[in-house]
């Protein structure tokens, strides 16, 4: 196998993407470009690991610190006000405010995450895991899937199989991506790959109310439905989880599948 020599310019470009990569903010094509480069560049991989470690340490240091929304607003206002006095560029002031909020930890920032960033939480795992699975690999057995998911999540197997009759299960497992654990079932029908994903909420994570779409009344909630990077993402909240159905189906079909699954998941008190 030939090893591609990306050169210093490629490294410089990839390193500019690393913070956005860690924050699930890149487009699918750019995300895959970063992953390909990291697979072949130990230097950039080391830099990424250092940044991940620094973020983890910051979050761990402040995870029990309670910060009120009023305090955050006051900090943002003060930074912007002083930036005008000091003749800072506006973008620099916003960057300083954002950096300060990051250091306050996940428990604070989580409540202020945008709708798209929460949708991309599930999309990132779909792209990293489901779209990289070998399409012709043997399907796992029911026993293997139960072992992979464990007692907490194995009850979702018959639910997903029933609601997605006609799809072949490619994988059912717990996986980790960028420090976050996902319960993931990946299924295939023809060339279509579909993911059903659960991940436990981080403190403060909640979809903005003004973007909710009506869902089935029995679901006891509402759905988020958007097309990101030409992939359909439908999401809903359960008591402790963010849940996703992700595919290249059209919006209505994906929403219908997610609505049916939401009814069952909420009945299971996930």
């Amino acid at each position: 196998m030939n090893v591609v020599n990306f050169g210093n310019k490629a490294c410089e470009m990839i390193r500019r993407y690393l913070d956005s990569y860690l924050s699930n903010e890149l487009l699918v094509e750019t995300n895959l470009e970063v992953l390909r480069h990291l697979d072949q560049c130990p230097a950039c991989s080391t830099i990424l690991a250092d940044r991940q470690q620094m973020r983890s340490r910051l979050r761990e240091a402040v995870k029990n610190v309670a910060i009120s929304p009023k305090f955050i607003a006051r900090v943002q206002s003060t930074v912007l006000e002083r930036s005008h006095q000091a003749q800072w560029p506006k973008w620099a002031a916003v960057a300083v405010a954002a950096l300060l909020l990051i250091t306050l930890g996940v428990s604070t920032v989580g409540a202020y995450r945008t709708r798209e960033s929460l949708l991309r939480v599930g999309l990132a795992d779909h792209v990293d895991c489901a779209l990289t699975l070998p399409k012709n690999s043997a399907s796992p057995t029911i026993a293997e899937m139960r072992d992979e998911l464990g007692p907490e999540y194995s009850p979702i197997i018959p639910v997903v199989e029933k609601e997605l009759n006609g799809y072949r299960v490619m994988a059912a497992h717990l996986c980790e991506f960028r420090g976050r654990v996902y319960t993931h079932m990946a299924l295939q029908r023809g060339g279509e790959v579909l993911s059903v994903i659960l991940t436990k909420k981080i403190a403060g994570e909640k979809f903005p109310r003004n973007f909710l779409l009506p869902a089935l009344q029995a679901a006891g909630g509402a759905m988020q439905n958007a097309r990101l990077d030409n992939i359909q993402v439908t999401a809903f909240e359960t008591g402790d989880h963010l849940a996703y159905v992700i595919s290249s189906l059209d919006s209505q079909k994906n929403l219908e599948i997610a609505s049916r699954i939401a009814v069952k998941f909420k009945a299971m008190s996930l």
Side-chain angles (χ1 to χ4, degrees):
M1 181 179 70
N2 294 326
V3 176
V4 179
N5 184 1
F6 288 96
N8 291 334
K9 288 187 178 179
C11 289
E12 290 176 6
M13 179 185 70
I14 294 299
R15 290 171 191 180
R16 288 197 296 268
Y17 289 146
L18 290 182
D19 287 323
S20 296
Y21 173 79
L22 288 171
S23 300
N24 296 327
E25 294 172 348
L26 296 177
L27 298 176
V28 169
E29 294 82 359
T30 308
N31 193 71
L32 291 174
E33 182 181 356
V34 171
L35 287 170
R36 284 194 295 267
H37 182 85
L38 292 172
D39 283 341
Q40 301 186 53
C41 182
C44 288
S45 296
T46 299
I47 291 172
L48 177 66
D50 289 342
R51 294 191 187 184
Q52 287 176 314
Q53 186 177 47
M54 182 176 67
R55 285 186 174 209
S56 297
R57 287 179 177 177
L58 285 170
R59 288 169 175 170
E60 183 65 26
V62 298
K63 69 179 182 180
N64 295 321
V65 178
I67 308 295
S68 71
K70 288 183 179 180
F71 175 77
I72 295 172
R74 189 164 68 249
V75 168
Q76 291 174 316
S77 175
T78 301
V79 170
L80 289 172
E81 181 182 345
R82 292 186 180 179
S83 72
H84 293 316
Q85 295 172 358
Q87 301 300 309
W88 286 2
K90 185 175 181 180
W91 65 265
V94 173
V96 171
L99 180 61
L100 177 59
L101 290 180
I102 288 173
T103 63
L104 293 177
V106 174
S107 61
T108 301
V109 178
Y112 293 88
R113 296 188 68 174
T114 66
R115 171 182 181 254
E116 182 171 330
S117 70
L118 288 176
L119 289 170
R120 287 187 179 276
V121 166
L123 178 61
D125 186 56
H126 174 76
V127 171
D128 179 71
C129 185
L131 297 188
T132 60
L133 287 170
K135 303 298 187 295
N136 297 318
S137 59
S139 298
T141 66
I142 293 293
E144 288 171 338
M145 289 192 289
R146 285 174 177 163
D147 287 342
E148 286 280 354
L149 294 185
E152 183 177 3
Y153 295 109
S154 59
I156 75 171
I157 295 169
V159 170
V160 173
E161 286 191 308
K162 180 179 178 181
E163 297 303 332
L164 288 163
N165 185 30
Y167 281 80
R168 178 179 71 87
V169 178
M170 299 168 63
H173 56 216
L174 300 180
C175 52
E176 183 174 350
F177 184 58
R178 297 180 189 168
R180 186 161 192 150
V181 176
Y182 296 86
T183 301
H184 187 183
M185 286 190 69
L187 305 99
Q188 181 186 13
R189 185 176 63 184
E192 169 67 32
V193 176
L194 183 148
S195 287
V196 177
I197 295 170
L198 281 163
T199 184
K200 286 192 174 179
K201 294 178 184 176
I202 295 171
E205 283 187 331
K206 196 173 186 66
F207 281 107
R209 298 295 100 183
N210 55 318
F211 282 106
L212 292 175
L213 294 174
L216 295 176
Q217 186 66 33
M223 314 296 288
Q224 299 282 343
N225 202 33
R227 199 161 191 87
L228 302 175
D229 309 333
N230 205 33
I231 298 175
Q232 194 64 37
V233 183
T234 306
F236 56 93
E237 297 176 35
T238 68
D240 297 323
H241 297 80
L242 300 175
Y244 302 87
V245 173
I246 304 174
S247 73
S248 56
L249 295 170
D250 65 44
S251 174
Q252 187 58 37
K253 288 180 180 177
N254 207 68
L255 179 60
E256 288 172 359
I257 293 170
S259 297
R260 295 197 305 268
I261 288 175
V263 174
K264 302 296 178 60
F265 278 10
K266 293 195 176 186
M268 295 162 63
S269 300
L270 286 169

